[in-house]
């Protein structure tokens, strides 16, 4: 259950990290578990953009950072901020979990409260937003908070009504003036440490794949092995972009090795495939100066085949004609003698 929830969490997380390519974000993905599981009661995974940079749990109460251990002033700051933020998170999520458990009359079993909480920074270093989202048992979204420097929204969720204006104002001040500065400060510190991982540029490799799927043909455009995740991938037919609604796929997925992949597929009927069309797959990516493309021409093999058979027929006709003339000539000489 815990593992499943973490999995769901990461899935829903990957759909949210879709912000502009110039900005960076820092997210804490936290789980609070009630009930017997092999997992610690409270765990947090910290992500810088899409890179897992730190881990914290209620057993060790010490954030563990990826790579070399932070030292000196950076160490003190990271660990102090971590202590403070994770401590508050732990108590808050624990409170919510018990409240919701009673609200739903859940007596036994495993209950999981999940929180996604973090901030985004513009590429000029200015804070862009802070947000938080809580989910109970991977089903009920029970609290959302969002502040983008101009707009503050807070929804206590249907599960805990009765939150008033005073509470909203308190949260706005707390998140805007306390958590946001801490989050941005931590983001900058970790960004400096992880510069090589976050700023790396790996160009996509591109394939145009034709295959038969239950009688229908599918022309797929596949880009893989690229980083960062932002990519523009277009399938063109005879130089015209194919409309997005005609395509299936289109979701950027992690490949598991720190790079991403994206596939866009077009169903093509057998009839259509016989026609001569030029399919082109083109990609633009931060790592590329120029667009990358691969092309394929449908109907071309058939054309070659029919050209070949026309040639064969013509050859046959010439041979037959030769034989005919030959035979006729021989007959003529035979009748003359
Ligand atoms: C929980 O139990 C109480 C009393 O037993 C009942 O009034 C309430 O409707 C129950 N709530 C749910 C969500 O089932
Ligand atoms: C903040 O969000 C509101 C509502 O979605 C939007 O109208 C506004 O332009 C946003 N402000 C910034 C600075 O992005
Ligand atoms: C198909 O189109 C692309 C771009 O539109 C072009 O570069 C390529 O040469 C064309 N291929 C054929 C076989 O016509
Ligand atoms: C993708 O296209 C959009 C709109 O044309 C452009 O703003 C963006 O920079 C492109 N992204 C990449 C990675 O080329």
């Amino acid at each position: 259950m815990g593992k499943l929830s973490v999995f769901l969490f990461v899935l829903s997380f990957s759909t949210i990290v879709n912000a502009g390519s110039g900005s960076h974000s820092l997210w804490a993905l936290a789980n609070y578990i009630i009930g017997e599981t092999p997992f610690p009661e409270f765990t947090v995974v910290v992500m810088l953009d899409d890179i897992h940079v730190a881990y914290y749990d209620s057993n060790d109460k010490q954030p563990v950072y990826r790579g070399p251990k932070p030292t000196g002033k950076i160490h003190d700051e990271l660990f102090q901020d971590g202590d403070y933020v994770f401590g508050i998170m732990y108590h808050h999520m624990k409170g919510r979990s018990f409240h919701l458990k009673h609200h739903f009359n859940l007596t036994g079993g495993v209950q999981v409260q999940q929180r996604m909480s973090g901030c985004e920074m513009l590429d000029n270093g200015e804070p862009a937003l802070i947000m938080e989202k809580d989910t109970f048992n991977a089903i009920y979204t029970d609290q959302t908070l969002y502040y983008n420097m101009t707009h503050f929204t807070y929804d206590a969720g249907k599960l805990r009504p009765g939150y008033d204006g005073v509470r909203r104002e308190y949260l706005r001040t707390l998140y805007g003036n306390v958590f946001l500065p801490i989050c941005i400060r931590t983001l900058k510190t970790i960004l400096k440490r992880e510069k090589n991982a976050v700023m790396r540029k790996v160009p996509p490799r591109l394939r145009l794949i034709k295959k038969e799927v239950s009688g229908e043909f599918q022309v797929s455009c596949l880009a893989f092995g690229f980083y960062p995740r932002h990519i523009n991938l277009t399938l063109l037919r005879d130089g015209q972009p194919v409309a997005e609604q005609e395509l299936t796929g289109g979701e950027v997925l992690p490949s598991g090795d720190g790079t991403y992949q994206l596939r866009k597929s077009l169903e093509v009927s057998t009839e259509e495939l016989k026609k001569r069309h030029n399919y082109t797959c083109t990609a633009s990516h931060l790592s590329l100066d120029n667009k990358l493309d691969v092309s394929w021409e449908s109907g071309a093999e058939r054309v070659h085949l029919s050209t070949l058979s026309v040639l064969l027929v013509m050859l046959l006709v010439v041979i037959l004609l030769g034989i005919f003339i030959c035979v006729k000539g021989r007959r003529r000489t035979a009748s003359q003698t």
Side-chain angles (χ1 to χ4, degrees):
M1 170 81 199
K3 212 160 211 165
L4 177 69
S5 311
V6 173
F7 174 68
L8 288 175
F9 213 173
V10 170
L11 264 190
S12 61
F13 174 71
S14 68
T15 59
I16 291 186
V17 184
N18 229 338
S21 48
S23 61
H24 292 285
S25 59
L26 186 72
W27 294 98
L29 311 179
N31 279 289
Y32 182 85
I33 305 174
I34 301 177
E36 280 299 315
T37 75
F39 304 104
E41 176 190 14
F42 177 67
T43 52
V44 187
V45 167
V46 181
M47 310 282 294
L48 170 69
D49 295 350
D50 48 7
I51 297 170
H52 173 177
V53 290
Y55 173 81
Y56 176 94
D57 69 37
S58 50
N59 293 352
D60 294 338
K61 297 195 174 64
Q62 286 277 328
V64 179
Y65 284 87
R66 194 181 93 114
K69 203 169 186 279
T71 51
K73 190 169 156 281
I74 290 180
H75 171 276
D76 297 347
E77 218 174 78
L78 281 177
F79 281 72
Q80 252 170 38
D81 287 345
D83 249 7
Y84 176 67
V85 171
F86 298 144
I88 291 179
M89 217 180 252
Y90 169 75
H91 288 293
H92 193 204
M93 288 178 74
K94 186 174 183 169
R96 269 192 104 72
S97 295
F98 281 97
H99 175 91
L100 293 174
K101 185 184 165 184
H102 288 126
H103 181 89
F104 288 109
N105 292 339
L106 303 168
T107 45
V110 175
Q111 271 41 270
V112 183
Q113 174 85 23
Q114 296 186 303
R115 171 169 296 183
M116 207 186 106
S117 184
C119 60
E120 249 179 58
M121 182 179 80
L122 301 176
D123 48 3
N124 64 8
E126 289 296 311
L129 64 85
I130 184 161
M131 68 167 271
E132 188 166 289
K133 184 173 157 184
D134 274 42
T135 309
F136 187 61
N137 282 352
I139 303 169
Y140 308 101
T141 297
D142 71 325
Q143 148 174 277
T144 55
L145 183 147
Y146 179 87
Y147 176 53
N148 70 357
M149 318 318 294
T150 55
H151 285 69
F152 178 83
T153 57
Y154 176 69
D155 185 352
K158 288 193 187 72
L159 308 178
R160 285 195 83 176
Y163 275 21
D164 54 14
V166 177
R167 169 106 192 142
R168 277 177 51 88
E169 222 20 72
Y170 163 71
L171 288 174
R172 180 196 185 114
T173 312
L174 182 65
Y175 280 78
N177 298 355
V178 181
F179 291 148
L180 183 58
I182 293 179
C183 186
I184 296 288
R185 183 166 75 213
T186 310
L187 170 53
K188 284 179 178 168
T189 306
I190 299 181
L191 194 57
K192 221 178 263 170
R193 271 174 62 89
E194 298 286 352
K195 205 183 269 160
N196 292 340
V198 174
M199 306 291 187
R200 79 190 201 278
K201 292 177 190 166
V202 188
R205 279 180 285 161
L206 208 57
R207 297 268 184 282
L208 196 57
I209 301 163
K210 297 84 61 176
K211 68 171 182 196
E212 197 176 346
V213 187
S214 54
E216 285 276 289
F217 277 89
Q218 211 177 46
V219 177
S220 299
C221 188
L222 175 68
F224 60 100
F226 56 89
Y227 189 89
R229 59 177 285 129
H230 309 279
I231 193 168
N232 288 336
L233 190 68
T234 317
L235 183 62
L236 306 164
R237 186 171 38 207
D238 303 325
Q240 294 298 314
V242 176
E244 285 294 324
Q245 60 265 26
E246 278 187 65
L247 300 170
T248 54
E251 201 182 337
V252 178
L253 300 170
S255 299
D257 59 356
T259 66
Y260 287 94
Q261 55 178 307
L262 170 63
R263 179 194 292 266
K264 289 185 177 178
S265 301
L266 176 69
E267 300 287 332
V268 179
S269 65
T270 321
E271 280 309 301
E272 194 62 20
L273 205 69
K274 284 178 190 160
K275 293 185 192 154
R276 204 171 174 145
H277 284 301
N278 179 0
Y279 291 96
T280 302
C281 179
T282 141
S284 63
H285 187 258
L286 205 63
S287 61
L288 300 167
D289 292 332
N290 297 309
K291 279 188 175 173
L292 201 63
D293 60 32
V294 284
S295 291
W296 172 67
E297 204 175 324
S298 68
E301 289 91 341
R302 279 192 79 81
V303 169
H304 288 152
L305 208 66
S306 54
T307 320
L308 199 68
S309 40
V310 164
L311 281 176
L312 277 176
V313 166
M314 277 166 70
L315 195 69
L316 206 65
V317 165
V318 167
I319 290 172
L320 284 177
L321 212 67
I323 291 173
F324 179 74
I325 291 169
C326 223
V327 167
K328 208 166 178 189
R330 216 176 267 176
R331 262 196 204 150
R332 191 170 294 151
T333 31
S335 65
Q336 271 174 1
T337 51

